[in-house]
Amino acid sequence: MNILIADGNRKNLAFCRSVLEMDGHEVNTAENGPECLLRATTRNYELILLNWELPELSGLEICKAVRDSDPHTPILFMTSNEFLHETIIGLKFGANDYIKLPLNRDDLSYRISIFEKSDQKRLEYILTDIRVILSTFQVFKGDKEIHLTRKEFLLLAYLVKHKGRVCKRHDIISEIWGTEYEYDAGIVDVFINGIRKKLHIPVTDNRIRTVRGVGYIVSEV
């Protein structure tokens, strides 16, 4: 797995990196909040291992910022008993799980392996000949890769994940743009039109269908 480790404690950071690299993972590191946020929002990772206590930006701030643009990448908090309550709050803001400090090798390896197995089970979503690959942020139609913007990718992944269900515009806005987004919900229509154009899916194609006044539904033809 491609993993980002963010920890202001260099000794702990080095320990995590050593363990995960020995387990065969590709590792990048960050020692403060801004560095972590930059890496997390400009590169694709399969897991973010995040210390609650980071210089300049807290783990919660990082988690919320990442989730605003990326609802999929697993986030695993590292936390001490002192911050356990705060970490549980972090779970409500989109973190997937937490692990207590101080770490030991076997526990760390095991907890990472759980996400690895989960990722292997759900690497991609499929809609007829369209494949949405979550781990690499790629979309293929047949054998041809279709280049989408990050928001287009997240929107398509969200719709295909909920295949067969009507996705309301306000739910899409909340999931993809965040709960604080205050602009016209018509932005969803703009992005849907862009996705249709790039995938060569006409408005009459039921794979992406408009539910007037409500939202969209994705379904097999």
Coordinates of all heavy atoms in Angstrom, one line a residue, residues 141-188:
K141 N -12.9 3.6 -19.6 CA -14.1 3.2 -20.3 C -13.6 2.2 -21.4 O -12.9 2.6 -22.3 CB -14.8 4.3 -21.0 CG -16.1 3.9 -21.7 CD -16.9 5.1 -22.3 CE -18.2 4.7 -22.9 NZ -18.9 5.7 -23.5
G142 N -13.9 0.9 -21.1 CA -13.2 -0.1 -21.9 C -11.8 -0.1 -21.5 O -11.4 -0.2 -20.3
D143 N -10.9 -0.1 -22.5 CA -9.5 -0.1 -22.2 C -8.9 1.4 -22.3 O -7.7 1.6 -22.0 CB -8.7 -0.9 -23.3 CG -9.1 -2.4 -23.2 OD1 -9.3 -2.8 -22.1 OD2 -9.1 -3.0 -24.3
K144 N -9.7 2.4 -22.5 CA -9.3 3.7 -22.6 C -9.4 4.5 -21.3 O -10.5 4.5 -20.7 CB -10.0 4.5 -23.7 CG -9.6 5.9 -23.9 CD -10.4 6.6 -25.0 CE -10.0 8.1 -25.1 NZ -10.8 8.8 -26.1
E145 N -8.3 5.1 -20.8 CA -8.4 5.9 -19.6 C -9.0 7.2 -19.9 O -8.7 7.9 -20.9 CB -7.0 6.1 -19.0 CG -7.0 6.9 -17.7 CD -5.7 7.0 -17.0 OE1 -4.7 6.5 -17.6 OE2 -5.6 7.6 -15.9
I146 N -10.0 7.6 -19.0 CA -10.7 8.9 -19.1 C -10.1 9.8 -18.0 O -10.2 9.5 -16.9 CB -12.2 8.7 -19.0 CG1 -12.7 7.6 -20.0 CG2 -12.9 10.0 -19.2 CD1 -12.5 7.9 -21.4
H147 N -9.7 10.9 -18.4 CA -9.1 11.9 -17.5 C -10.1 12.8 -16.9 O -10.6 13.7 -17.6 CB -7.9 12.6 -18.1 CG -6.8 11.7 -18.5 ND1 -5.9 11.2 -17.7 CD2 -6.5 11.3 -19.8 CE1 -5.0 10.4 -18.3 NE2 -5.3 10.5 -19.6
L148 N -10.4 12.7 -15.6 CA -11.4 13.5 -14.9 C -10.6 14.4 -13.9 O -9.6 14.1 -13.5 CB -12.4 12.7 -14.2 CG -13.2 11.7 -15.0 CD1 -14.2 11.0 -14.1 CD2 -14.0 12.3 -16.1
T149 N -11.2 15.5 -13.6 CA -10.7 16.3 -12.5 C -11.0 15.6 -11.2 O -11.8 14.6 -11.2 CB -11.4 17.7 -12.5 OG1 -12.8 17.6 -12.1 CG2 -11.3 18.4 -13.8
R150 N -10.4 16.1 -10.1 CA -10.6 15.4 -8.8 C -12.1 15.4 -8.4 O -12.6 14.4 -8.0 CB -9.7 16.1 -7.8 CG -9.7 15.3 -6.4 CD -8.8 16.0 -5.4 NE -8.7 15.3 -4.2 CZ -7.9 14.3 -3.9 NH1 -7.1 13.9 -4.9 NH2 -7.9 13.7 -2.7
K151 N -12.7 16.6 -8.6 CA -14.1 16.6 -8.2 C -15.0 15.8 -9.1 O -15.9 15.1 -8.6 CB -14.6 18.1 -8.3 CG -14.2 18.9 -7.0 CD -15.0 18.6 -5.8 CE -14.9 19.6 -4.7 NZ -13.6 19.6 -4.1
E152 N -14.7 15.7 -10.4 CA -15.4 14.9 -11.3 C -15.3 13.4 -10.9 O -16.3 12.6 -10.9 CB -15.0 15.1 -12.7 CG -15.4 16.4 -13.4 CD -14.8 16.6 -14.7 OE1 -13.7 16.0 -15.0 OE2 -15.3 17.5 -15.5
F153 N -14.0 13.0 -10.5 CA -13.8 11.7 -10.1 C -14.6 11.3 -8.9 O -15.3 10.3 -8.8 CB -12.3 11.4 -9.8 CG -12.0 10.1 -9.3 CD1 -11.7 9.0 -10.2 CD2 -12.0 9.8 -8.0 CE1 -11.5 7.7 -9.7 CE2 -11.7 8.5 -7.5 CZ -11.5 7.5 -8.4
L154 N -14.5 12.2 -7.9 CA -15.2 11.9 -6.6 C -16.8 11.9 -6.8 O -17.4 11.0 -6.2 CB -14.9 13.0 -5.6 CG -13.5 13.1 -5.1 CD1 -13.2 14.3 -4.2 CD2 -13.1 11.8 -4.3
L155 N -17.3 12.7 -7.7 CA -18.7 12.7 -8.0 C -19.1 11.4 -8.7 O -20.1 10.8 -8.3 CB -19.1 13.9 -8.8 CG -20.5 14.0 -9.3 CD1 -21.5 13.9 -8.2 CD2 -20.7 15.3 -10.1
L156 N -18.3 11.0 -9.7 CA -18.6 9.8 -10.4 C -18.5 8.6 -9.5 O -19.4 7.7 -9.5 CB -17.7 9.6 -11.6 CG -17.9 8.3 -12.4 CD1 -19.3 8.3 -13.1 CD2 -16.8 8.2 -13.5
A157 N -17.5 8.5 -8.6 CA -17.3 7.4 -7.7 C -18.5 7.3 -6.7 O -19.0 6.3 -6.4 CB -16.0 7.6 -6.9
Y158 N -19.0 8.5 -6.3 CA -20.1 8.5 -5.3 C -21.4 8.0 -6.0 O -22.1 7.2 -5.4 CB -20.3 10.0 -4.9 CG -21.5 10.2 -3.9 CD1 -21.3 9.9 -2.6 CD2 -22.7 10.6 -4.4 CE1 -22.4 10.1 -1.7 CE2 -23.8 10.8 -3.5 CZ -23.6 10.5 -2.2 OH -24.7 10.7 -1.3
L159 N -21.6 8.4 -7.2 CA -22.8 7.9 -7.9 C -22.8 6.4 -8.2 O -23.7 5.7 -8.0 CB -23.0 8.7 -9.2 CG -23.3 10.2 -9.1 CD1 -23.3 10.8 -10.5 CD2 -24.6 10.4 -8.4
V160 N -21.6 6.0 -8.7 CA -21.5 4.5 -9.0 C -21.5 3.7 -7.7 O -22.1 2.6 -7.7 CB -20.2 4.3 -9.8 CG1 -20.1 2.8 -10.2 CG2 -20.2 5.1 -11.1
K161 N -20.9 4.2 -6.7 CA -21.0 3.5 -5.4 C -22.5 3.3 -5.0 O -22.8 2.2 -4.4 CB -20.3 4.3 -4.3 CG -20.3 3.7 -2.9 CD -19.6 4.5 -1.9 CE -19.7 3.9 -0.5 NZ -19.1 4.8 0.5
H162 N -23.3 4.3 -5.2 CA -24.7 4.2 -4.9 C -25.6 3.8 -6.1 O -26.7 4.2 -6.2 CB -25.2 5.5 -4.3 CG -24.5 5.9 -3.0 ND1 -23.3 6.6 -3.0 CD2 -24.8 5.6 -1.7 CE1 -22.9 6.8 -1.7 NE2 -23.8 6.1 -0.9
K163 N -25.0 3.0 -6.9 CA -25.7 2.5 -8.1 C -27.1 2.0 -7.8 O -27.2 1.2 -6.9 CB -24.9 1.5 -8.8 CG -25.4 1.0 -10.1 CD -24.3 0.1 -10.9 CE -23.8 -1.0 -10.0 NZ -22.8 -1.8 -10.8
G164 N -28.1 2.4 -8.6 CA -29.5 1.9 -8.3 C -30.3 2.7 -7.3 O -31.5 2.5 -7.1
R165 N -29.6 3.7 -6.7 CA -30.3 4.6 -5.7 C -30.3 6.0 -6.2 O -29.3 6.5 -6.8 CB -29.6 4.5 -4.4 CG -29.7 3.1 -3.7 CD -28.7 3.0 -2.6 NE -28.8 4.1 -1.6 CZ -27.9 4.3 -0.7 NH1 -27.0 3.4 -0.5 NH2 -28.1 5.3 0.2
V166 N -31.4 6.8 -5.9 CA -31.4 8.2 -6.3 C -30.5 8.9 -5.3 O -30.6 8.9 -4.1 CB -32.8 8.7 -6.2 CG1 -32.8 10.2 -6.5 CG2 -33.7 8.0 -7.2
C167 N -29.6 9.7 -5.9 CA -28.6 10.5 -5.1 C -29.1 12.0 -5.2 O -29.1 12.6 -6.2 CB -27.2 10.4 -5.6 SG -26.5 8.8 -5.5
K168 N -29.6 12.5 -4.0 CA -30.1 13.9 -4.0 C -29.0 14.9 -4.2 O -27.9 14.7 -3.7 CB -30.9 14.1 -2.7 CG -32.1 13.2 -2.6 CD -32.8 13.4 -1.3 CE -34.0 12.5 -1.1 NZ -34.7 12.7 0.2
R169 N -29.3 16.0 -4.8 CA -28.3 17.1 -5.0 C -27.7 17.5 -3.7 O -26.5 17.7 -3.6 CB -28.9 18.2 -5.8 CG -29.1 18.0 -7.3 CD -29.6 19.2 -8.0 NE -29.7 19.0 -9.4 CZ -30.8 18.5 -10.0 NH1 -31.8 18.0 -9.3 NH2 -30.8 18.3 -11.3
H170 N -28.5 17.7 -2.7 CA -27.9 18.3 -1.4 C -27.0 17.2 -0.8 O -26.1 17.6 -0.1 CB -29.0 18.8 -0.5 CG -30.0 17.7 0.0 ND1 -29.7 16.9 1.0 CD2 -31.2 17.4 -0.4 CE1 -30.7 16.1 1.3 NE2 -31.6 16.4 0.4
D171 N -27.3 16.0 -0.9 CA -26.5 14.9 -0.4 C -25.1 14.9 -1.1 O -24.1 14.7 -0.5 CB -27.1 13.5 -0.5 CG -28.3 13.4 0.5 OD1 -28.3 14.1 1.5 OD2 -29.2 12.6 0.2
I172 N -25.2 15.1 -2.4 CA -24.0 15.1 -3.3 C -23.1 16.3 -2.9 O -21.9 16.1 -2.7 CB -24.4 15.1 -4.8 CG1 -25.1 13.9 -5.2 CG2 -23.1 15.4 -5.6 CD1 -25.6 13.9 -6.6
I173 N -23.8 17.4 -2.7 CA -23.0 18.6 -2.3 C -22.3 18.4 -1.0 O -21.1 18.7 -0.9 CB -24.0 19.8 -2.2 CG1 -24.5 20.3 -3.6 CG2 -23.3 21.0 -1.5 CD1 -23.4 21.1 -4.4
S174 N -23.0 17.9 0.0 CA -22.5 17.6 1.3 C -21.3 16.7 1.2 O -20.3 16.9 1.9 CB -23.6 17.1 2.2 OG -23.0 16.8 3.5
E175 N -21.4 15.6 0.4 CA -20.4 14.6 0.3 C -19.2 15.1 -0.4 O -18.0 14.8 0.0 CB -21.0 13.3 -0.3 CG -20.0 12.2 -0.4 CD -19.7 11.5 0.9 OE1 -20.6 11.7 1.8 OE2 -18.7 10.9 1.1
I176 N -19.4 15.7 -1.5 CA -18.3 16.1 -2.4 C -17.7 17.5 -2.1 O -16.5 17.7 -2.2 CB -18.7 16.0 -3.9 CG1 -19.3 14.6 -4.2 CG2 -17.5 16.3 -4.8 CD1 -18.4 13.4 -3.9
W177 N -18.5 18.4 -1.9 CA -18.1 19.8 -1.7 C -18.0 20.2 -0.2 O -17.4 21.2 0.2 CB -19.0 20.8 -2.4 CG -18.7 20.9 -3.8 CD1 -17.8 21.8 -4.4 CD2 -19.2 20.1 -4.9 NE1 -17.7 21.6 -5.8 CE2 -18.6 20.6 -6.1 CE3 -20.1 19.1 -5.0 CZ2 -18.9 20.0 -7.4 CZ3 -20.3 18.5 -6.2 CH2 -19.7 19.0 -7.4
G178 N -18.7 19.4 0.7 CA -18.6 19.7 2.1 C -19.9 20.4 2.6 O -20.6 21.1 1.8
T179 N -20.1 20.3 3.9 CA -21.4 20.8 4.5 C -21.4 22.3 4.5 O -22.4 23.0 4.6 CB -21.5 20.3 5.9 OG1 -20.4 20.6 6.7 CG2 -21.7 18.8 5.9
E180 N -20.2 23.0 4.3 CA -20.2 24.5 4.4 C -20.3 25.1 3.0 O -20.3 26.3 2.9 CB -18.8 24.9 5.1 CG -18.7 24.4 6.5 CD -17.4 24.8 7.1 OE1 -16.6 25.5 6.4 OE2 -17.2 24.5 8.3
Y181 N -20.5 24.3 2.0 CA -20.6 24.8 0.7 C -22.0 25.6 0.5 O -23.0 25.0 0.9 CB -20.5 23.7 -0.4 CG -20.6 24.2 -1.8 CD1 -19.4 24.6 -2.4 CD2 -21.7 24.3 -2.5 CE1 -19.4 25.0 -3.8 CE2 -21.7 24.7 -3.9 CZ -20.6 25.0 -4.5 OH -20.5 25.5 -5.8
E182 N -22.0 26.8 0.1 CA -23.2 27.6 0.1 C -23.6 28.1 -1.3 O -24.5 29.0 -1.4 CB -23.0 28.8 1.1 CG -22.7 28.5 2.5 CD -22.5 29.7 3.4 OE1 -22.4 30.8 2.8 OE2 -22.5 29.5 4.6
Y183 N -23.0 27.6 -2.3 CA -23.3 28.1 -3.6 C -24.5 27.3 -4.2 O -25.0 26.3 -3.7 CB -22.1 28.0 -4.5 CG -21.0 28.9 -4.1 CD1 -19.9 28.4 -3.3 CD2 -21.0 30.3 -4.4 CE1 -18.9 29.3 -2.8 CE2 -20.0 31.1 -4.0 CZ -18.9 30.6 -3.2 OH -17.9 31.4 -2.7
D184 N -24.9 27.7 -5.4 CA -26.0 27.1 -6.1 C -25.8 25.6 -6.3 O -24.7 25.2 -6.8 CB -26.2 27.8 -7.5 CG -27.5 27.4 -8.2 OD1 -28.0 26.3 -7.9 OD2 -27.9 28.2 -9.0
A185 N -26.8 24.8 -6.0 CA -26.7 23.3 -6.2 C -26.6 23.0 -7.6 O -26.3 21.8 -8.0 CB -27.9 22.6 -5.5
G186 N -26.8 23.9 -8.5 CA -26.7 23.7 -10.0 C -25.2 23.3 -10.3 O -25.0 22.8 -11.5
I187 N -24.3 23.5 -9.4 CA -22.9 23.1 -9.7 C -22.8 21.6 -10.0 O -22.0 21.2 -10.8 CB -22.0 23.5 -8.5 CG1 -20.5 23.3 -8.9 CG2 -22.3 22.7 -7.3 CD1 -20.0 24.2 -9.9
V188 N -23.7 20.9 -9.4 CA -23.7 19.4 -9.6 C -24.0 19.1 -11.1 O -23.4 18.3 -11.7 CB -24.7 18.7 -8.7 CG1 -24.8 17.2 -9.0 CG2 -24.4 18.9 -7.2

